[in-house]
Amino acid sequence: MSRVLVTTQGPVIRAWEIIKVSTRPPYRQDASMGKKTLAALATTCHAFHDPALDILWFEQEDFSALLKCTPSDLWNESKLQSDSTRLTLRFRRSMLPEDWTKFLRYASRVRVLHVGVPFLIPKVTPRFVELTEVDIQVFRCLSLYRPSGVLLPNLRRLHWHYPRDQIFPYIHLFLHSSLSGLDLLGVVGISEEEETLFLRRLVTAVPTLVRLLNACTVSVMGLRQICRMRHLRDITLSLSSLSATDLALLAGLSSLTRLSIRAQQYQDITGQRLSSLCSEPFVALRHLTADGLNLESCSALLRWISSSHLQELVFDIDPTAPVSTAPVSTISFEGFIDAVVQSCSHTSLSLQITESVPAPTFPELRIQATSLRPLLAFTNLATVVIDPPIFIVMDNSILKEMALAWPDIEMLLIGLERRSLPVQEYGVTLQGLIPLAEHYPRLKGLGVVLHATAEIDEEEPANGISASSVDSLQFARSTIAPGRVMEVAAYLSALFPKLGHRGLSAWDDESAERLDVEVAEEMDDCEIRDAWREVRRAYPVFAMVREQERRRQQK
């Protein structure tokens, strides 16, 4: 009977406990252990061997690591002539049956595989690590000489990063009936016919596929093949065109819980047309992301769904997209807010409404923040990002209402308009930020346009209130009195003492950078921009002094 002498029981027992947890679905790797620790555990005794190796090989970002399990005389690594930093793995000879023994032993442990990733950014040391590129000749050999059966029999998710169309046909090496997730990233050069044929084969080759991410532009015929995959629960697609008919096909996927779509062109997305095609759309949908729709079509889409089950809503609105009745207006925006209230869950919602194509906002395209009051009914909101192609006139009172209605907020960005407006349009002052710090214990990011010129109590600038959880402030084109730069920096350091590196931003867009070379009428804007730059420079000094004072008081 073999014995194992363990001199330091604590770390080994802890590692064994982590292994037991890590091998329960869903599998995960614990970064605190490290691969060296797992490799050491795998050689300690038979009880540790298989669980440790399962974790080590669970997810592979570098396909060449698996290929290097073959005999060393089969392959070699060499630098590319065009790029001295990149290595390429090639085979020296044809493959033999005995070359597969060790490869297959570890291949069966791989659950997640990234193929074609050019570099890796480790969590512990955030720096680029160049990965070895696998030559196309290797894929040919794997295809010709592989033993009968599936190359990676337990693979569940495949991330395909190869952009070259010559390698794409070899993706069949990794497809099998038990694969549940497929991410196609950066594939270019294949024709519409090749794409449609691949997706048609995918329907039969991977019948239980539940996740599909396709970063390539999918044609109408390709979309119709995707809609035949009845088990899909998560779809991310970039489309050449999307009509109401195609959207109705997607709506018929009864298992679909997450949908993210972006189309170059939308056709006939109206409430009447959608209702005529499908009466019970998206019965399981909980997360919806749509890019490039106009505000009117977004409202029509939400009213069509109208199930009050959406838990995450992300719309990137295109204000230049054609509409059937009228351009963006206060009426269409208010109607959109009403549609959100009808179709989204009041108990759990993450809301992001942004503008996909930045366009000048004219003075008449503005709306009072009171139009957002229907959203106060969503008491469990954690993320609110509302930056539509229309200026939202905020004030301290509506901010306080939001602070009282949304206690779980972690991210709040509203109306970060990039164009400067008359001072009277800015109703949020520095004091108006106090309720947010007081009632948002989980707040991490805050963005609002404010008028930073009000009187400040120098002895207790924020009434003794501070929000240490906030690490990011975005003030866009906020106003400021140039003579009060230090007061503003001191106030912000008291209210938000823990902003991260570059956590404070204001007047930092490209238009602001060009102000000093434009016409003289922009001189006021130049002064405001430069004043905020001084605030950003002064803030770390005030924050450091306050931190030193706090530590001194604690001692």
Side-chain angles (χ1 to χ4, degrees), residues 404-465:
L404 295 174
W406 302 332
D408 297 328
I409 282 289
E410 297 179 5
M411 179 69 67
L412 179 66
L413 284 80
I414 296 184
L416 293 182
E417 178 52 46
R418 290 297 185 180
R419 291 178 62 85
S420 56
L421 292 175
V423 171
Q424 60 270 22
E425 298 287 351
Y426 294 77
V428 178
T429 65
L430 289 168
Q431 285 80 0
L433 303 179
I434 293 178
L436 303 182
E438 184 178 9
H439 298 286
Y440 285 165
R442 300 181 182 89
L443 186 64
K444 296 178 181 178
L446 172 64
V448 68
V449 177
L450 58 83
H451 186 42
T453 56
E455 292 289 342
I456 299 172
D457 184 350
E458 294 183 4
E459 293 185 3
E460 200 169 16
N463 297 337
I465 297 171

Side-chain angles (χ1 to χ4, degrees), residues 329-349:
S329 66
T330 57
I331 296 175
S332 61
F333 184 74
E334 290 172 350
F336 169 74
I337 295 297
D338 289 338
V340 171
V341 174
Q342 293 176 21
S343 61
C344 297
S345 170
H346 283 222
T347 58
S348 177
L349 177 65

Side-chain angles (χ1 to χ4, degrees), residues 285-289 302 307-315 336-353 372 374-386 405-412:
L285 193 66
R286 298 295 179 268
H287 309 269
L288 174 62
T289 299
L302 289 176
S307 61
S308 297
H309 291 155
L310 287 179
Q311 298 173 358
E312 181 181 19
L313 183 62
V314 181
F315 276 151
F336 169 74
I337 295 297
D338 289 338
V340 171
V341 174
Q342 293 176 21
S343 61
C344 297
S345 170
H346 283 222
T347 58
S348 177
L349 177 65
S350 173
L351 180 64
Q352 296 187 51
I353 312 299
L372 301 177
L375 297 178
L376 300 180
F378 296 85
T379 55
N380 294 324
L381 278 171
T383 300
V384 176
V385 179
I386 302 177
W406 302 332
D408 297 328
I409 282 289
E410 297 179 5
M411 179 69 67
L412 179 66

Side-chain angles (χ1 to χ4, degrees), residues 147-435:
S148 59
V150 180
L151 194 63
L152 303 175
N154 295 313
L155 186 66
R156 295 297 176 263
R157 179 172 293 183
L158 173 64
H159 301 262
W160 184 270
H161 296 255
Y162 269 107
R164 290 183 294 168
D165 58 321
Q166 298 94 334
I167 295 181
F168 184 68
Y170 297 101
I171 195 173
H172 76 273
L173 291 169
F174 308 96
L175 302 180
H176 61 89
S177 59
S178 298
L179 191 71
S180 60
L182 175 61
D183 292 0
L184 299 174
L185 304 168
V187 180
V188 295
I190 62 174
S191 65
E192 183 176 321
E193 290 77 15
E194 290 174 310
E195 169 208 81
T196 303
L197 181 61
F198 167 73
L199 292 172
R200 185 180 299 158
R201 290 176 177 171
L202 197 63
V203 175
T204 55
V206 192
T208 58
L209 193 69
V210 297
R211 169 188 164 90
L212 176 62
L213 186 156
N214 195 336
C216 316
T217 301
V218 178
S219 65
V220 174
M221 292 303 298
L223 176 63
R224 292 177 181 176
Q225 294 301 322
I226 291 172
C227 291
R228 294 175 56 203
M229 305 175 191
R230 309 308 301 178
H231 296 280
L232 281 174
R233 295 199 298 263
D234 185 354
I235 302 178
T236 300
L237 296 176
S238 179
L239 306 164
S240 56
S241 177
L242 182 69
S243 66
T245 303
D246 300 323
L247 194 55
L249 288 176
L250 281 169
L253 294 174
S254 59
S255 300
L256 191 63
T257 60
R258 185 181 296 270
L259 174 64
S260 178
I261 53 174
R262 178 175 182 83
Q264 298 173 8
Q265 182 182 7
Y266 290 93
Q267 301 175 7
D268 203 17
I269 308 296
T270 64
Q272 182 179 3
R273 178 62 176 156
L274 291 171
S275 298
S276 67
L277 292 169
C278 181
S279 58
E280 295 184 12
F282 297 114
V283 293
L285 193 66
R286 298 295 179 268
H287 309 269
L288 174 62
T289 299
D291 293 353
L293 278 168
N294 59 62
L295 201 58
E296 187 184 52
S297 296
C298 288
S299 300
L301 177 57
L302 289 176
R303 289 196 179 93
W304 179 47
I305 296 174
S306 189
S307 61
S308 297
H309 291 155
L310 287 179
Q311 298 173 358
E312 181 181 19
L313 183 62
V314 181
F315 276 151
D316 210 3
I317 298 169
D318 185 356
T320 65
V323 295
S324 60
T325 57
V328 174
S329 66
T330 57
I331 296 175
S332 61
F333 184 74
E334 290 172 350
F336 169 74
I337 295 297
D338 289 338
V340 171
V341 174
Q342 293 176 21
S343 61
C344 297
S345 170
H346 283 222
T347 58
S348 177
L349 177 65
S350 173
L351 180 64
Q352 296 187 51
I353 312 299
T354 56
E355 181 180 358
S356 62
V357 181
T361 296
F362 299 98
E364 63 271 15
L365 292 179
R366 62 189 67 190
I367 191 170
Q368 295 296 320
T370 52
S371 299
L372 301 177
R373 278 207 177 104
L375 297 178
L376 300 180
F378 296 85
T379 55
N380 294 324
L381 278 171
T383 300
V384 176
V385 179
I386 302 177
D387 192 17
I390 185 170
F391 187 81
I392 300 175
V393 182
M394 300 285 293
D395 57 30
N396 290 348
S397 62
I398 189 66
L399 268 186
K400 187 173 183 179
E401 289 183 51
M402 292 175 178
L404 295 174
W406 302 332
D408 297 328
I409 282 289
E410 297 179 5
M411 179 69 67
L412 179 66
L413 284 80
I414 296 184
L416 293 182
E417 178 52 46
R418 290 297 185 180
R419 291 178 62 85
S420 56
L421 292 175
V423 171
Q424 60 270 22
E425 298 287 351
Y426 294 77
V428 178
T429 65
L430 289 168
Q431 285 80 0
L433 303 179
I434 293 178

